[in-house]
Coordinates of all heavy atoms in Angstrom, one line a residue:
D1 N 164.3 51.0 0.1 CA 164.5 51.7 1.4 C 163.4 52.6 1.7 O 163.3 53.2 2.8 CB 165.8 52.5 1.3 CG 167.1 51.7 1.3 OD1 166.9 50.5 1.8 OD2 168.1 52.1 0.8
D2 N 162.4 52.8 0.9 CA 161.2 53.6 1.2 C 160.0 52.7 1.7 O 158.9 53.2 2.0 CB 160.6 54.3 -0.1 CG 161.5 55.4 -0.5 OD1 162.3 55.9 0.3 OD2 161.3 56.0 -1.6
L3 N 160.3 51.4 2.0 CA 159.3 50.5 2.5 C 158.7 51.0 3.8 O 157.5 50.9 4.0 CB 159.8 49.1 2.6 CG 160.0 48.4 1.2 CD1 160.6 47.0 1.5 CD2 158.7 48.2 0.5
P4 N 159.5 51.4 4.8 CA 158.9 51.9 6.0 C 157.9 53.0 5.8 O 156.8 53.1 6.5 CB 160.1 52.4 6.8 CG 161.2 51.6 6.3 CD 161.0 51.5 4.8
A5 N 158.2 53.9 4.9 CA 157.2 55.0 4.6 C 155.9 54.5 4.0 O 154.8 55.0 4.3 CB 157.8 56.0 3.6
F6 N 156.0 53.5 3.1 CA 154.8 52.9 2.6 C 154.0 52.1 3.6 O 152.8 52.0 3.5 CB 155.2 52.0 1.4 CG 155.3 52.8 0.1 CD1 156.5 53.4 -0.3 CD2 154.2 53.1 -0.7 CE1 156.6 54.2 -1.4 CE2 154.3 53.8 -1.9 CZ 155.5 54.4 -2.2
A7 N 154.7 51.5 4.6 CA 154.0 50.8 5.6 C 153.2 51.8 6.5 O 152.1 51.5 6.9 CB 155.0 50.1 6.5
T8 N 153.8 53.0 6.7 CA 153.1 54.1 7.4 C 151.8 54.4 6.6 O 150.7 54.7 7.1 CB 154.0 55.3 7.6 OG1 155.1 54.9 8.3 CG2 153.2 56.4 8.3
L9 N 152.0 54.5 5.2 CA 150.9 54.9 4.4 C 149.8 53.8 4.4 O 148.6 54.1 4.4 CB 151.4 55.1 2.9 CG 150.3 55.5 1.9 CD1 149.8 56.9 2.3 CD2 151.0 55.6 0.5
V10 N 150.2 52.5 4.5 CA 149.2 51.5 4.6 C 148.4 51.6 5.9 O 147.2 51.4 5.9 CB 149.9 50.1 4.5 CG1 148.9 49.0 4.8 CG2 150.4 49.9 3.1
N11 N 149.1 51.9 6.9 CA 148.4 52.1 8.2 C 147.4 53.2 8.1 O 146.3 53.1 8.7 CB 149.4 52.3 9.3 CG 150.1 51.1 9.8 OD1 149.6 50.0 9.6 ND2 151.3 51.2 10.2
T12 N 147.7 54.3 7.4 CA 146.8 55.4 7.3 C 145.6 55.0 6.4 O 144.5 55.4 6.6 CB 147.6 56.6 6.6 OG1 148.7 56.9 7.4 CG2 146.7 57.8 6.5
M13 N 145.9 54.2 5.4 CA 144.8 53.7 4.4 C 143.8 52.9 5.2 O 142.6 53.0 4.8 CB 145.4 52.9 3.3 CG 146.2 53.8 2.3 SD 147.1 52.7 1.1 CE 145.7 51.9 0.3
K14 N 144.1 52.2 6.2 CA 143.2 51.4 7.0 C 142.1 52.3 7.7 O 141.1 51.8 8.0 CB 143.9 50.5 8.0 CG 144.8 49.5 7.4 CD 145.5 48.6 8.4 CE 146.4 47.5 7.8 NZ 147.1 46.8 8.9
K15 N 142.5 53.5 7.9 CA 141.5 54.4 8.5 C 140.7 55.2 7.5 O 139.8 56.0 7.9 CB 142.3 55.4 9.4 CG 143.2 54.8 10.4 CD 144.1 55.8 11.1 CE 145.1 55.1 12.0 NZ 146.0 56.1 12.7
G16 N 141.0 55.1 6.2 CA 140.3 55.9 5.2 C 139.2 55.2 4.5 O 138.9 54.0 4.8
N17 N 138.6 55.9 3.6 CA 137.5 55.3 2.8 C 138.1 54.7 1.5 O 139.1 55.1 1.1 CB 136.5 56.4 2.4 CG 136.0 57.2 3.5 OD1 135.7 58.4 3.4 ND2 135.8 56.6 4.7
L18 N 137.4 53.7 1.0 CA 137.8 53.1 -0.3 C 136.7 53.3 -1.3 O 135.6 52.8 -1.2 CB 138.1 51.6 -0.1 CG 138.6 50.8 -1.3 CD1 139.9 51.4 -1.8 CD2 138.8 49.3 -1.0
L19 N 137.0 54.1 -2.3 CA 136.0 54.5 -3.3 C 136.4 53.9 -4.7 O 137.6 53.6 -4.9 CB 135.9 56.0 -3.4 CG 135.6 56.8 -2.1 CD1 135.6 58.3 -2.4 CD2 134.2 56.4 -1.6
T20 N 135.4 53.9 -5.6 CA 135.6 53.5 -6.9 C 135.2 54.6 -7.9 O 134.1 55.1 -7.7 CB 134.9 52.2 -7.3 OG1 135.4 51.1 -6.5 CG2 134.9 51.9 -8.8
A21 N 136.1 55.0 -8.8 CA 135.7 55.9 -9.9 C 135.2 55.1 -11.1 O 136.0 54.4 -11.7 CB 136.9 56.8 -10.2
N22 N 133.9 55.0 -11.3 CA 133.3 54.2 -12.3 C 133.5 54.7 -13.7 O 132.5 55.1 -14.4 CB 131.9 53.9 -12.0 CG 131.7 53.2 -10.7 OD1 132.3 52.1 -10.5 ND2 130.9 53.7 -9.8
V23 N 134.7 54.8 -14.2 CA 134.9 55.4 -15.6 C 134.4 54.4 -16.7 O 134.0 54.8 -17.7 CB 136.4 55.8 -15.8 CG1 136.8 56.8 -14.8 CG2 137.2 54.5 -15.7
T24 N 134.4 53.1 -16.4 CA 134.0 52.2 -17.4 C 132.5 52.2 -17.7 O 132.1 51.9 -18.8 CB 134.4 50.7 -16.9 OG1 133.7 50.5 -15.7 CG2 135.9 50.6 -16.6
D25 N 131.7 52.6 -16.7 CA 130.3 52.7 -16.9 C 129.9 54.0 -17.6 O 128.8 54.1 -18.1 CB 129.5 52.5 -15.6 CG 129.6 51.1 -15.1 OD1 130.0 50.2 -15.8 OD2 129.4 50.9 -13.9
S26 N 130.8 55.0 -17.5 CA 130.4 56.3 -17.8 C 130.8 56.8 -19.2 O 130.3 57.9 -19.6 CB 131.0 57.3 -16.8 OG 130.6 56.8 -15.5
V27 N 131.7 56.1 -19.9 CA 132.1 56.6 -21.2 C 132.1 55.4 -22.2 O 132.2 54.2 -21.8 CB 133.6 57.1 -21.1 CG1 133.6 58.3 -20.2 CG2 134.6 56.1 -20.7
S28 N 132.1 55.8 -23.4 CA 132.2 54.8 -24.5 C 133.6 54.3 -24.6 O 134.5 55.1 -24.5 CB 131.7 55.4 -25.8 OG 132.1 54.6 -26.9
H29 N 133.8 53.0 -24.9 CA 135.1 52.5 -25.0 C 135.6 52.7 -26.4 O 136.8 52.6 -26.7 CB 135.1 51.0 -24.7 CG 134.8 50.7 -23.2 ND1 134.8 49.4 -22.7 CD2 134.5 51.5 -22.2 CE1 134.5 49.5 -21.4 NE2 134.3 50.7 -21.1
V30 N 134.7 52.9 -27.4 CA 135.1 53.1 -28.8 C 135.6 54.5 -29.0 O 136.7 54.7 -29.6 CB 134.0 52.7 -29.7 CG1 134.4 52.9 -31.2 CG2 133.5 51.3 -29.5
R31 N 134.8 55.4 -28.6 CA 135.2 56.9 -28.7 C 135.1 57.5 -27.3 O 134.2 58.2 -27.0 CB 134.4 57.6 -29.7 CG 134.6 57.2 -31.2 CD 133.8 58.0 -32.1 NE 134.1 57.6 -33.5 CZ 135.1 58.1 -34.2 NH1 135.9 59.0 -33.7 NH2 135.3 57.7 -35.5

């Protein structure tokens, strides 16, 4: 029943920026 609210959120996302947080390049996977 929250799908209409998420549809509103999707419409808002279309106007926004899409960024990537590159954590995989920035830290060791072992420690």
